[in-house]
Amino acid sequence: MRTRVVVTGMGVVSPVGNDIATFWKALCEGRSGIGVIDHFDPADMSSRIAGQAEDVTPDGMTGKDIRRCDRYTVLALDAAMQAWRESGVSMDNQDPLRCGVIMGSGIGGIFTFEEQMTRFVHGGPRRVSPMSIPKILCNMGAGEIAIRLGLQGPNKAVVSACATGAHGIGDAANTIRAGLADVMVAGGAEASIVPFSIAGFAAMKALSCRNDEPERASRPFDADRDGFVMGEGAGALVLESEEHARARGAQILGEIGGCGETCDAHHITSPRPDGSGAAAAMKAALRDAKTGPETVGYFNAHGTSTKLNDAAETLALKDVFGDSMPPVSSTKSMIGHLLGAAGAVEAIACLLAVRDGVLPPNINYDTPDPECAANIIANEAWEADVAIAMSNSLGFGGHNTSLILRRYE
């Protein structure tokens, strides 16, 4: 019999709150966390808005600890410590070699990279910090979590652009199913609101330039969408085998039903226009979960608010669900695109939707687009008894990942 993988802890850092309760309340109320960038002066940028996480203070970290980590690692640690605390796992009675971490990042320590490169260019090699390389590495979030919690089992960082967080959760679930671990901390983190990142994405014409209306800038599936809004944050789940969680009397919050992964093999940034790669991942996730499309009660779309992505994903939805499309929303409309953290944070939103019977809205949906004719949860949350939710994460490079999140019964 296949090992069931359950969720016993969740943690989040986001532009609308740095704990599960605050984050979820904001999503259900349709509250935007997008504003004018204050991490740096964005006056010279064509896009001057983002979803920034504020007042991030991980448990047990001193000011010195924080300075020794890149910002993305600090966000990862905060989310992971929240999830670990909620799970109630104690290493006093666990085999540390059976407890691991998969925490990825799409870009990693770009704050440190930009800061230290500036020092190098203007001050020479002696101005570069000896902590530069460790802080930049994409795997350091996973490493720091393991160090702080004493987790000596499987440990790695997935790096697959905007599919990173979902890939991390899927890989962690499969690690448990393979019998290689009993407990895994999984998710993604990103902190890329720095001048170089904003300039780079803006040069691609990927970012919204609705600078005068930040809260209305991220508008997935709306006809007037003009690009995505960058966000920062982290999402972390504690996953366990059902047997392990039940043996220790854990409160089970939900279940990882299945995961599907494909690659468009089409273009470095654009999705396949017909959405076939995403559709294949969605079908694979349903097969992995041993369920059909008719059982999905909520769909959290990748929905970036870009012209090509939203149109292609709509075609994927029509392919998989036909005329029985479930309610659809993109929570990026409220928090922006968290890149490597997006899949993990959106998986948490799905688990909360299943738990509470509330489907978060797709805000700023004012003008329907004929190319994005989906069952959109427009502007206000819906109440619905949902047992299964699906979340899509699609990344540059053609990476497609779909997760099935279900109520634990």
Side-chain angles (χ1 to χ4, degrees):
M1 182 179 292
R2 187 189 197 201
T3 299
R4 295 176 70 180
V5 177
V6 298
V7 179
T8 57
M10 299 187 290
V12 68
V13 175
S14 81
V16 294
N18 300 336
D19 61 80
I20 292 294
T22 305
F23 164 77
W24 184 232
K25 185 174 187 291
L27 292 193
C28 291
E29 293 175 350
R31 193 160 69 246
S32 174
I34 309 303
V36 176
I37 294 170
D38 62 19
H39 286 4
F40 62 90
D41 182 358
D44 293 338
M45 303 290 175
S46 59
S47 179
R48 299 186 289 277
I49 56 178
Q52 300 170 129
E54 306 293 346
D55 302 321
V56 182
T57 53
D59 282 353
M61 288 191 76
T62 65
K64 181 179 179 181
D65 293 334
I66 291 173
R67 289 191 296 275
R68 290 173 64 86
C69 294
D70 186 83
R71 181 170 172 80
Y72 101 88
T73 298
V74 174
L75 304 189
L77 279 164
D78 195 340
M81 299 303 284
Q82 291 176 44
W84 191 255
R85 185 171 60 249
E86 183 179 37
S87 75
V89 176
S90 171
M91 292 309 294
D92 292 340
N93 50 23
Q94 299 295 322
D95 178 354
L97 294 172
R98 300 284 300 172
C99 303
V101 186
I102 301 180
M103 176 63 67
S105 179
I107 298 178
I110 194 164
F111 180 92
T112 298
F113 182 88
E114 184 175 85
E115 173 191 65
Q116 295 300 316
M117 180 56 73
T118 300
R119 286 189 181 189
F120 176 75
V121 169
H122 294 288
R126 292 183 182 276
R127 291 286 296 149
V128 174
S129 166
M131 291 299 297
S132 296
I133 299 304
K135 290 173 68 174
I136 289 170
L137 297 175
C138 279
N139 67 303
M140 203 49 63
E144 287 279 3
I145 292 166
I147 290 167
R148 291 188 173 273
L149 296 177
L151 313 182
Q152 299 178 35
N155 188 295
K156 61 183 177 181
V158 176
V159 181
S160 50
C162 306
T164 294
H167 269 147
I169 293 169
D171 284 3
N174 287 332
T175 299
I176 291 171
R177 290 191 182 111
L180 302 177
D182 300 317
V183 181
M184 294 291 293
V185 178
E190 204 78 83
S192 300
I193 303 175
V194 298
F196 179 73
S197 290
I198 298 295
F201 279 111
M204 296 172 60
K205 309 297 183 185
L207 296 180
S208 171
C209 294
R210 198 182 292 260
N211 298 308
D212 295 334
E213 298 181 294
E215 295 181 353
R216 295 178 54 76
S218 184
R219 42 199 319 112
F221 303 108
D222 186 84
D224 295 324
R225 65 194 185 277
D226 72 328
F228 79 85
V229 177
M230 189 181 294
E232 64 177 356
L237 302 176
V238 174
L239 307 183
E240 302 182 51
S241 68
E242 179 192 32
E243 180 182 10
H244 185 271
R246 287 175 63 88
R248 68 180 188 86
Q251 179 184 10
I252 294 176
L253 308 175
E255 182 176 356
I256 307 299
C259 179
E261 302 176 3
T262 65
C263 182
D264 281 349
H266 169 69
H267 188 270
I268 58 172
T269 58
S270 298
R272 282 189 177 273
D274 63 1
S276 58
M282 294 157 68
K283 293 173 183 177
L286 290 166
R287 287 194 302 271
D288 191 40
K290 295 181 170 51
T291 193
E294 71 283 353
T295 67
V296 177
Y298 169 59
F299 184 86
N300 189 295
H302 187 60
T304 58
S305 188
T306 59
K307 290 291 184 182
L308 295 179
N309 174 89
D310 294 2
E313 192 172 17
T314 301
L315 291 176
L317 279 161
K318 292 178 177 179
D319 181 358
V320 174
F321 295 105
D323 295 331
S324 301
M325 192 180 299
V328 175
S329 72
S330 171
T331 43
K332 291 182 179 71
S333 61
M334 293 172 276
I335 62 176
H337 191 354
L338 275 56
L339 307 182
V345 172
E346 289 156 14
I348 289 170
C350 285
L351 289 163
L352 294 168
V354 170
R355 183 193 72 180
D356 291 350
V358 179
L359 312 185
N362 193 114
I363 69 169
N364 301 322
Y365 187 74
D366 301 326
T367 307
D369 183 345
E371 290 191 342
C372 300
N375 187 19
I376 303 295
I377 305 168
N379 302 315
E380 294 185 0
W382 293 359
E383 293 186 3
D385 183 17
V386 172
I388 295 179
M390 175 182 277
S391 180
N392 260 14
S393 295
L394 320 175
F396 281 0
H399 305 290
N400 305 304
T401 310
S402 292
L403 293 174
I404 299 290
L405 298 311
R406 56 168 38 127
R407 180 186 299 152
Y408 176 72
E409 297 176 349

